[in-house]
Amino acid sequence: LTQIRMKEVEPEMNKLKTEIKKSEGRIEHWNKEKADLLEEIKKNPFHYSRQRNEKIKELTASIESEEKTWLDLQSQLEKIQKT
């Protein structure tokens, strides 16, 4: 990127980088929450419940959705960096 072009796209790049970090934080949080629930069930199978199962499904869907968002943000950032 040229110096002039860099100054033009820097605010947009910084915004995308911030959104990517936020997305990574959400994915990390949800993965930990899901792992904790799965570990709890593993330690004590009698703790299994429909509510926990639904929560695990919700977390899985949220993680998958957020991963798509993250990939889209990364793609946008790479596109800007290549121009």
Side-chain angles (χ1 to χ4, degrees), residues 5-16:
R5 178 76 176 127
M6 185 66 178
K7 286 186 180 186
E8 291 173 359
V9 298
E10 191 172 13
E12 189 175 351
M13 286 175 56
N14 288 339
K15 181 181 175 191
L16 285 169

Side-chain angles (χ1 to χ4, degrees), residues 21-71:
K21 285 190 185 290
K22 287 180 183 178
S23 182
E24 289 169 346
R26 285 188 288 269
I27 291 168
E28 184 178 334
H29 174 77
W30 290 330
N31 273 322
K32 182 181 179 334
E33 189 175 348
K34 181 180 172 182
D36 290 347
L37 285 170
L38 291 170
E39 185 62 28
E40 189 177 314
I41 291 169
K42 184 179 173 184
K43 284 181 182 176
N44 189 348
F46 296 109
H47 279 178
Y48 177 82
S49 71
R50 182 174 289 154
Q51 292 87 356
R52 279 195 180 90
N53 192 41
E54 287 301 315
K55 183 64 176 175
I56 290 168
K57 285 181 183 179
E58 286 175 23
L59 289 167
T60 300
S62 294
I63 292 164
E64 289 173 359
S65 175
E66 195 63 35
E67 286 174 342
K68 289 176 186 171
T69 300
W70 181 88
L71 284 171

